[in-house]
Amino acid sequence: MTPWLRDFIDNRIFGPNHRWWALWVVVISVFIATTDVGMLTISLPVIITEFRTDITFAGWIVFVYALVTGALYLPCGRLSDLLGRKLTFSAGFLVYGVASLVAGLSQGPAQLMACRVGQAVGAALMMTNTFALTGSLFTGPDRGRAMGLSGGLVSAIGFTLGPVVGGVITFTLGWRYIFFISGTLSFIGLAAARFLLLDDRGSGAQAKREPFDFAGAGLFAVALTFLLLGITRGGLGYWGFVLSALFAALFIWREATFPYPILDLGLLRIVPFAVGNLARLSTFVALSTNELMMPFLLQLVLRMDPLEAGSLMTATALVLMVVSPSAGWLTDRVGSTPPAAAGAAVIALAMYAMSHLGPDSGPAEIVPRLALLGVGLGLFQTPNNHGLIGSVPHERLGIASSVISIIRSVGRSLGTAIATAFVGMRLAAVTNDSGPQDFAALNVADNPLLLGAFMEGYGYAYVTAACLGLSALVFTMIAAAGRSRGGGGR
């Protein structure tokens, strides 16, 4: 190794600016996770055609990923605190990369589903560490800017590029190359994690040789599984919620009595953390309402093709890309409460404005509303994350990061269920036997009765989302009051 290269590595990469170099590990993981969503979704019609399966399989490909990641976030967060972030990050990249490469070679639906489970395991190991690593690297005034760049900006870029890149790859090279490219990016992330992250296995809980709570992890996974099945699979009936409540109670009992729990229940007594997560939950429920309803409005009611509809919906991500870094900079200067509260209010306003769209609406009305939503999300997300991470003890950042990720998964599932329930019930009232799963088969635009029912349910869904935006505003102010009483954070 030349003296110049050695000097660059020692004094530049591992010098005073090492934390910014290490942040690239977070950037790569977030980019992989966010682009994966869009790339896979756009290729699902081609996949189910090649495998001669149906749309139910496509739904399960998406659902099983959310289910497995949600169930594993908390155990993976505990592993992160026990084994160190370098090891768990590296394992996540490795598992995700191998599963992605094998998925590209799948010869049938069962193989692809199994590989999707493997991807979810890898994603849980990676994503449970993103907030925790950023929070541990940036403890001073640059934390907001770092979160705005690694979280908000990179997420916006990933969500924006995902459908576009996925469409191009599927059209030119075939859907398998989506997984090959994801696998390649994962191995780049693995190399970055091994090289850039410092060994942290000797600190925190691991130094105390604390055992892992396998029983608690199992109870939590089962409770969350039944909850998500109850939310997203109506055939399970109320039993999903009953069983979820039962196993959740057993999980809480286990965590309260076991000396080394995977969830420190004391975190839930930290007002800024507990209430801040309620604000986060409200916004993700509202966001998923828009992610589900807007494509149906654009394609079924306004007769746009998928490319035109997708292009219009990028307005939210493009604005989010611009606002998120600015929100991080603002948070470093005025604290997390003012921008987060303003963001929640703007989200509520955007959702209420979108509730008034109708069959005669055009791009000139739709794009500004979607852009306004991007402003609200950009102002809210980074300050909210900053406040959550800043309110918990350093040694519990892994668990805290896991809880934050779980809230995202549950919020998206709840939003989808609520939105489909509103529209599905209105459509069922006029068709007698059609439910939410029949949206695409209904000729809504040419049937005044169906159109009226759809738009009524659509309006209810968005008004509910607007109310959730206001609830996020209230929770943000309550969290701020908790911080002012000495609850931590700023």
Side-chain angles (χ1 to χ4, degrees):
M1 184 180 297
T2 65
W4 175 87
L5 182 58
R6 169 57 65 185
D7 178 73
F8 180 81
I9 292 176
D10 291 342
N11 298 320
R12 295 296 183 89
I13 295 180
F14 290 98
N17 291 322
H18 170 254
R19 57 181 183 167
W20 291 103
W21 286 94
L23 191 65
W24 276 102
V25 178
V26 177
V27 168
I28 295 171
S29 65
V30 172
F31 184 77
I32 291 172
T34 52
T35 54
D36 171 88
V37 175
M39 288 198 299
L40 181 62
T41 301
I42 206 71
S43 67
L44 282 176
V46 178
I47 294 174
I48 64 177
T49 299
E50 180 174 327
F51 285 159
R52 296 183 179 180
T53 184
D54 56 22
I55 197 170
T56 302
F57 171 74
W60 273 98
I61 283 288
V62 176
F63 176 72
V64 75
Y65 185 86
L67 178 62
V68 174
T69 52
L72 292 182
Y73 277 140
L74 200 55
C76 288
R78 177 60 174 160
L79 283 175
S80 173
D81 285 338
L82 287 171
L83 304 178
R85 301 190 220 294
K86 180 173 183 174
L87 183 60
T88 48
F89 240 127
S90 300
F93 281 121
L94 178 61
V95 172
Y96 194 94
V98 171
S100 298
L101 295 180
V102 177
L105 301 173
S106 297
Q107 299 301 306
Q111 295 176 27
L112 184 58
M113 185 73 74
C115 291
R116 193 63 176 157
V117 171
Q119 281 188 309
V121 174
L125 285 166
M126 289 188 296
M127 298 307 291
T128 195
N129 280 289
T130 55
F131 293 116
L133 182 59
T134 306
S136 62
L137 288 172
F138 295 86
T139 57
D142 288 330
R143 176 182 282 178
R145 186 156 60 105
M147 287 187 168
L149 290 172
S150 64
L153 178 60
V154 176
S155 295
I157 293 174
F159 283 125
T160 303
L161 292 181
V164 179
V165 174
V168 172
I169 294 173
T170 303
F171 182 75
T172 57
L173 300 175
W175 64 268
R176 296 179 185 275
Y177 280 85
I178 287 177
F179 292 102
F180 294 151
I181 291 174
S182 294
T184 301
L185 288 174
S186 298
F187 286 111
I188 293 173
L190 173 61
R194 300 305 300 169
F195 177 67
L196 293 173
L197 298 184
L198 300 177
D199 191 351
D200 57 345
R201 287 177 295 176
S203 61
Q206 194 273 343
K208 303 176 184 178
R209 306 295 182 187
E210 296 178 0
F212 184 78
D213 183 13
F214 288 100
L219 289 170
F220 175 79
V222 173
L224 186 62
T225 297
F226 279 121
L227 174 63
L228 293 182
L229 286 173
I231 292 171
T232 59
R233 293 292 180 266
L236 195 61
Y238 293 108
W239 281 108
F241 299 104
V242 173
L243 292 172
S244 177
L246 173 62
F247 281 98
L250 291 173
F251 169 71
I252 292 173
W253 172 80
R254 168 71 179 186
E255 300 310 281
T257 57
F258 189 66
Y260 307 107
I262 61 171
L263 174 61
D264 182 358
L265 296 179
L267 287 177
L268 303 182
R269 291 192 289 270
I270 301 175
V271 173
F273 184 77
V275 181
N277 269 301
L278 290 177
R280 178 178 172 82
L281 177 65
S282 298
T283 58
F284 270 102
V285 174
L287 176 61
S288 62
T289 297
N290 180 67
E291 290 175 343
L292 179 72
M293 288 287 93
M294 188 54 64
F296 285 120
L297 174 72
L298 298 179
Q299 296 182 61
L300 294 187
V301 177
L302 302 181
R303 300 179 183 274
M304 294 183 185
D305 59 53
L307 180 59
E308 185 179 4
S311 299
L312 287 182
M313 290 194 65
T314 59
T316 299
L318 290 173
V319 173
L320 178 63
M321 192 186 309
V322 175
V323 176
S324 288
S326 301
W329 176 87
L330 186 62
T331 300
D332 289 332
R333 281 150 182 80
V334 302
S336 60
T337 300
V346 173
I347 289 172
L349 178 61
M351 292 297 180
Y352 182 74
M354 282 189 278
S355 72
H356 287 80
L357 294 174
D360 298 325
S361 300
E365 297 177 75
I366 297 169
V367 170
R369 288 168 166 82
L370 291 172
L372 186 64
L373 177 60
V375 172
L377 291 172
L379 287 173
F380 177 82
Q381 287 184 346
T382 297
N384 176 258
N385 294 338
H386 182 281
L388 292 173
I389 291 299
S391 64
V392 299
H394 184 272
E395 66 274 11
R396 284 294 181 256
L397 282 176
I399 297 297
S401 183
S402 301
V403 173
I404 294 170
S405 298
I406 291 167
I407 291 296
R408 177 179 60 227
S409 294
V410 174
R412 288 189 179 278
S413 298
L414 278 171
T416 300
I418 292 171
T420 53
F422 276 127
V423 178
M425 285 188 296
R426 295 312 306 145
L427 289 174
V430 298
T431 61
N432 296 323
D433 59 356
S434 292
Q437 68 273 20
D438 300 314
F439 284 177
L442 297 174
N443 191 13
V444 172
D446 292 330
N447 188 318
L449 193 61
L450 291 177
L451 180 60
F454 176 88
M455 293 309 305
E456 186 177 355
Y458 167 94
Y460 289 152
Y462 272 97
V463 169
T464 302
C467 293
L468 287 167
L470 292 177
S471 71
L473 172 60
V474 173
F475 289 135
T476 298
M477 301 311 296
I478 295 174
R483 282 191 289 271
S484 68
R485 291 195 295 269
R490 214 167 59 132

